[in-house]
Amino acid sequence: MEVDEAAPALFVQCRFALVCGDGLDADAAKKLASTLKLHGGEIVTDQYDGENLPLEELTHIICATCDFPSYDAASDALIPVIKPHWVDASLAKSKLANPRQYSSDPRLFMSNVVICCADLPEGDKDAIIGGVLAMGGLHSAKVSSMVTHIVALTMDSEICRSVAMRKLNMKIVLPHWFDDCLKLGRRIDENPYLLPDPEILRPSNAIAPRAAENGQLTGAIDPDPSHAPSSTTIRSPRGPLQVFARKKLMLSQDLGIGSHLKDVLKDLIEESRGHVTEDSRKADMFICKYREGPDYRLMSQAGKDVGNLAWLYYLITNNSWTSPMRRLLHYPIARNGLPGFQGLRISLSNYSGEARLYLENLITAAGAECTKTLKQDNTHLITAHIMSEKCAAAKDWGVHIINHLWLEESYSKWKLQSITNSRYTHFPRRTNLGEVVGQTKIDRHALEHYFFHTEDTEMEDAKDESQPMQRKDPNMAPIPTSSLVNTPRTPHVRQKAARNSAHAAGTPRRSTGVERKSEAGKMQTPASGRIVSDGKENQTPSTTSSRKAKEAAAARLHDIVSDITLYEKEKKRVGGVVYGGRRKNDPDRVGADRKRSITEDPDSDATEGGESKRLRTGTARSTIHLLVSGYKKWVSHPKLEDANKKQLRDLGIIVTQHPSRASHLAAPSILRTHKFISAMAYAPTIVSTDFIDQCLEKNEFLAPEDFLLQDKANEKRFQISLAESQKRAKENHNKLFEGRTIYCVEIINGGFDTYKSIIEANGGQCNMYRGRPGTMVPSRRADSETSTADEATQAEVFLISGQDQERLWSRFRQMAERSRKIPRIVRSEWLIESAMAQKILPVGPHELR
């Protein structure tokens, strides 16, 4: 490679450390070091052996991953850790590239992505580019060899045709992929989003998506593994292990391992030039089971590696170092679990193999109960996608449905996360989230805050007691030495113990170390001590102790969380109690953990004395879900409605409000209500409301087939045949408007949401049209095997409008013509009649011109 001697060397002011590992072997590191030296760079070290790097001498660290011991220290020192590609990119540009775009930080999950946008509107294009740049990716205005992804809506653009014709190694993806990645904060598989035939735009598929291969969980499934690696299998093929060279390990007493296994581990470590010590002050690694004890706190405060047996076995098996915080179950667990998880009953769905075992063990480690089956007393359902019977049952029962990110991030941050966060309730249509399980790291700042930060501060305070002139607050009472070791782990327990201690000893309360640390260097009058009564409930927190106030509020909230959970569950349950109800600690309430008998109705309520009502017939009966429309007896009579619904539920008839869940529809006649029209797409059995009257009157479950709706008058009036419409609905499988994009104006009689739900129930896509310039019709490629619509029908685009929205019609026609579509502006009657007849009717009499 020729170098211009007149020009200054590119890396002349850079000092590098090369860390070998996955993605950068020894040979590649030597070649890279030669290139850097050729262009003026200085190599501080290229043979990193696990010892601490001389960070004060470095400007850059080159490593393909963040998995080396000095990564956290380098991040704190603001030294960029970059991938080897950064060198090539800098040489290609003849200037130092932005290290953020080549960072090894796993949080920047788009760091290997270079996008080029094709036929996107300017607003969408700017949003995608901004999101990719924020997550470590790059943008190129033109197609080059560096581009990895082309973002387009169709294959009609010149860029896409050129890439396809030249067969370039670039993926053409829909912008939906970036939306889903940014919503989840994880990079998911691109295959369902690849043009020209993206899977997410195909007709609804009954086959659940499969998870891609996930290598993040190997050796990190169980925090307390029962099988140790065999010494013979490790020693024979590779010889001594390099990972323990010149390292001192300490095995904690709480591991509970036998003397034989302990001797095997000791022999392996010592044969690898390591040493097993009993002194935590001399150890480099500490292996324990729980996050407690003076040795754990001392090692953690010193910044040494603290892991569990699973982490030790991983090091032995792979003979390579990895951080114990990289995988959640490589770090010691808390003996009492995560605050707020006690009492939760969590079930899993759609996870399999190692991912399922990992999540089961993580739930147990967090302190909750993991159930194999889903019941009504479950509080949460963690699922990889929403295509399962468990998900349908959870919606009926009001069980919270979230993905695994809620569990992982709650455990990582050591704080119960809110399920209202959209990241935890987002499920991409054709993605199995099992492929991104295990990518969450332990939050080291949360560890410091909840497990050893306070103790560290108190130890410094105890040390300062021998120097009164250096005390930050001379009016504070001394700390008992026993509190340095026996300090509780969680903020709630820590605060309560501090109050009890102060009350018993008669000593004034003292400010926390965090307060004094934040006020260091300020000249002010010291605050006088306060004696706080142990029984005082409405304690006013100090204005200088915001953290104490937050802890007190969190403690009070934790005491009532069971009642809040119970209320939310009862409020969402179909036919359940919406107002009032009993508290969880009421004496006459049946416990949630009570075993149900085989013949008990799962939807029945508890009666007085703790006994449950049973089905009137005394035999097992299949439950039907009934959607009711136009039943006048319940109008303005909420108490009668609640009583009737409860009686019907006891008979095995669950009244639902969702057309998609209804197996039967009850109406006095053929109606053009929202419920009736939407339910037609699901082909339910339509019965007369006499069915409800007779079941209530006779107090028994009657055959719905004896009450089928007969309404010849309205069939003639609406020009439909109810039997024919139901037959077509079964044949359509919710695909009446499949592949069609139907627009609807914002202000229309009945409301936009009404027509949107009808269109989506029939497999179409409904967009609101406001007449904004630059709006384009999305391309929806029909599946070649299942689509029966002719080309003329596929080329049509509809606008549901009223006569008073005429000002938008010209813009809509222009938009359709730009997209090479035929504009059809119709009244809402066309949509209603088509949905009722379950066939696409001619637009002639309803078209607006």
Side-chain angles (χ1 to χ4, degrees), residues 562-583:
S562 59
D563 289 329
I564 296 175
T565 303
L566 178 62
Y567 170 75
E568 292 294 334
K569 182 176 179 181
E570 291 292 329
K571 184 176 71 172
K572 294 181 179 180
R573 193 178 66 168
V574 176
V577 179
V578 178
Y579 303 102
R582 286 169 287 185
R583 291 180 176 270

Side-chain angles (χ1 to χ4, degrees), residues 113 128 188 252 266 297 422 430 546 566 673 705 734 783:
V113 175
I128 291 175
I188 59 178
S252 175
K266 184 176 180 180
R297 288 192 288 272
S422 59
R430 297 301 302 168
S546 60
L566 178 62
T673 62
E705 293 77 14
N734 302 94
D783 188 86

Side-chain angles (χ1 to χ4, degrees), residues 739-768:
R740 290 174 172 80
T741 300
I742 302 176
Y743 287 85
C744 182
V745 296
E746 183 177 7
I747 302 175
I748 189 171
N749 187 25
F752 167 80
D753 291 335
T754 299
Y755 297 105
K756 180 180 180 181
S757 62
I758 294 174
I759 293 169
E760 291 179 347
N762 287 276
Q765 176 181 343
C766 182
N767 296 332
M768 183 180 293

Side-chain angles (χ1 to χ4, degrees), residues 269-545:
I269 295 169
E270 292 181 347
E271 288 180 5
S272 304
R273 294 179 297 155
H275 179 66
V276 177
T277 180
E278 299 294 333
D279 189 350
S280 59
R281 293 172 296 180
K282 299 180 180 179
D284 301 308
M285 300 179 180
F286 182 62
I287 311 299
C288 62
K289 183 176 181 179
Y290 297 111
R291 306 177 185 181
E292 60 188 26
D295 291 331
Y296 165 77
R297 288 192 288 272
L298 180 64
M299 294 292 291
S300 299
Q301 292 162 5
K304 301 298 180 66
D305 295 328
V306 178
N308 57 19
L309 269 181
W311 176 63
L312 177 62
Y313 292 166
Y314 183 92
L315 299 183
I316 295 173
T317 304
N318 295 275
N319 194 19
S320 62
W321 188 90
T322 184
S323 172
M325 296 187 184
R326 181 181 178 185
R327 297 171 177 86
L328 297 181
L329 295 184
H330 275 175
Y331 196 81
I333 63 176
R335 189 183 296 272
N336 297 322
L338 172 60
F341 264 67
Q342 292 78 8
L344 299 185
R345 303 189 77 246
I346 304 175
S347 184
L348 298 173
S349 179
N350 300 316
Y351 293 97
S352 60
E354 291 185 340
R356 187 177 189 89
L357 295 175
Y358 162 80
L359 292 175
E360 288 177 352
N361 291 325
L362 189 59
I363 291 171
T364 303
E369 179 186 356
C370 181
T371 64
K372 298 291 184 182
T373 58
L374 181 71
K375 298 181 180 179
Q376 282 185 288
D377 56 359
N378 278 90
T379 58
H380 297 76
L381 174 65
I382 298 178
T383 180
H385 55 80
I386 56 175
M387 296 178 62
S388 69
E389 294 181 0
K390 277 188 177 182
C391 294
K395 292 178 181 178
D396 286 337
W397 296 338
V399 178
H400 298 304
I401 302 176
I402 64 268
N403 57 41
H404 69 274
L405 296 178
W406 171 80
L407 174 64
E408 288 187 333
E409 295 189 4
S410 295
Y411 191 86
S412 170
K413 299 175 182 178
W414 205 247
K415 181 181 180 181
L416 184 64
Q417 300 298 300
S418 172
I419 60 173
T420 59
N421 190 329
S422 59
R423 293 183 62 242
Y424 306 140
T425 56
H426 182 62
F427 300 94
R429 182 175 177 185
R430 297 301 302 168
T431 298
N432 188 311
L433 294 180
E435 67 187 51
V436 293
V437 171
Q439 296 184 8
T440 305
K441 299 172 56 178
I442 289 283
D443 189 338
R444 62 190 180 105
H445 299 292
L447 287 178
E448 294 175 3
H449 177 72
Y450 289 107
F451 291 97
F452 52 85
H453 175 75
T454 302
E455 288 80 354
D456 186 17
T457 308
E458 290 179 350
M459 290 178 71
E460 293 178 358
D461 296 340
K463 183 177 179 181
D464 291 340
E465 288 176 4
S466 61
Q467 304 173 4
M469 298 302 295
Q470 297 180 7
R471 294 263 313 271
K472 297 184 180 68
D473 192 344
N475 292 338
M476 293 182 180
I479 308 171
T481 55
S482 60
S483 66
L484 302 180
V485 178
N486 298 325
T487 304
R489 291 176 297 281
T490 63
H492 172 52
V493 178
R494 188 161 57 239
Q495 183 191 24
K496 186 175 181 181
R499 289 202 308 267
N500 294 338
S501 176
H503 178 69
T507 58
R509 286 187 62 198
R510 53 191 309 279
S511 303
T512 63
V514 176
E515 296 170 4
R516 295 194 307 279
K517 189 173 182 179
S518 64
E519 297 174 359
K522 294 183 179 180
M523 301 296 295
Q524 62 181 22
T525 303
S528 60
R530 294 177 57 197
I531 300 178
V532 181
S533 173
D534 187 40
K536 186 176 180 181
E537 294 182 359
N538 298 326
Q539 174 185 345
T540 303
S542 172
T543 57
T544 62
S545 180

